[in-house]
């Protein structure tokens, strides 16, 4: 569902939440004609399906998106959970490279900004500083994937789980001794994300809690 035109001030305020667009002036925003790209989806709604003719890039504003695929045995495999401020979709700016992937609104409603690849490439041509900022986003995403792969290959379930919890800490709290994260992932979700069994994740979480490294509340995990 697309947002109605709610005026330049409010929509510009929404999009400035992303580093790529943070330096846009009101005049530049109007000239780029971005208003129609804001969309929202309800809990459980699919943003795109496998094998869909897909050529969009998405910037998450609110909520969580589950990225995954269905394996040959019909099991759902979670590749990633997208959080506010992150980018997903056609990250390589090429068409139809996501044939086996789905994206689904997870746990709550979501709001995001979507661009056709062609429109986004034109946008980057007009604003070279945005192209530089976008390359930084891609670099962070590549490093995140590389770290996850290294963890799966070389580290224990305990290390992989700790790494996942650290990744979920909001950026503004990364450099402090304690932090809280929303408890939106189930133990089964965590297991799929780190390549482990659900019961192993449950046991490992209990181990961390017994050591006083985390504490669990209804809606939060304190680290």
């Amino acid at each position: 569902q697309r947002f109605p035109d709610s005026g330049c001030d409010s929509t510009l305020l929404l999009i400035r939440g992303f580093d790529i667009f943070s330096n846009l002036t009101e005049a530049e925003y109007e000239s780029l004609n971005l208003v129609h790209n804001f969309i929202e989806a309800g809990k459980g709604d699919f943003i795109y399906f496998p094998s869909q003719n897909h050529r969009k890039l998405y910037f998450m504003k609110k909520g969580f998106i589950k990225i995954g695929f269905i394996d040959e045995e019909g099991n759902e495999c979670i590749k990633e959970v997208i959080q506010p401020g992150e980018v997903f979709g056609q990250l390589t700016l090429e068409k139809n490279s996501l044939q086996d992937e789905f994206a689904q609104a997870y746990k709550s409603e979501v709001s995001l900004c979507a661009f056709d690849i062609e429109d986004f490439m034109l946008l980057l041509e007009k604003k070279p500083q945005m192209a530089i900022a976008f390359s930084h986003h891609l670099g962070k995403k590549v490093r995140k994937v590389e770290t996850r792969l290294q963890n799966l290959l070389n580290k224990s379930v305990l290390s992989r789980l700790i790494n996942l919890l650290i990744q979920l800490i909001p950026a503004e709290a990364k450099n402090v001794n304690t932090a809280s994260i929303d408890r939106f992932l189930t133990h089964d979700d965590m297991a799929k994300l780190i390549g482990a069994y659900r019961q192993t994740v449950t046991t490992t979480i209990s181990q961390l809690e017994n050591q006083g490294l985390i504490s669990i509340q209804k809606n939060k995990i304190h680290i």
Side-chain angles (χ1 to χ4, degrees), residues 1 3 13-18 37-45 47 58-66 81-88 104-114 182 184:
Q1 178 182 352
F3 284 110
L13 188 63
L14 281 172
I15 204 168
R16 274 183 174 159
F18 303 102
N37 291 307
F38 285 100
I39 62 175
E40 60 182 1
K43 177 182 177 181
D45 288 350
I47 308 303
Y58 300 90
F59 294 80
M60 275 292 297
K61 181 62 182 176
K62 176 184 175 183
F64 301 96
I65 292 287
K66 177 170 63 177
V81 174
I82 304 297
Q83 302 181 70
E86 293 188 322
V87 183
F88 68 101
Q104 184 181 22
Y106 183 67
K107 297 293 185 182
S108 64
E109 295 180 349
V110 301
S111 60
L112 44 88
C113 181
D182 291 331
F184 64 93

Side-chain angles (χ1 to χ4, degrees), residues 93-113:
L93 303 186
E94 62 185 39
K95 296 180 183 178
N96 302 327
S97 64
L98 304 175
Q99 288 89 345
D100 299 324
E101 183 177 286
F102 68 80
Q104 184 181 22
Y106 183 67
K107 297 293 185 182
S108 64
E109 295 180 349
V110 301
S111 60
L112 44 88
C113 181

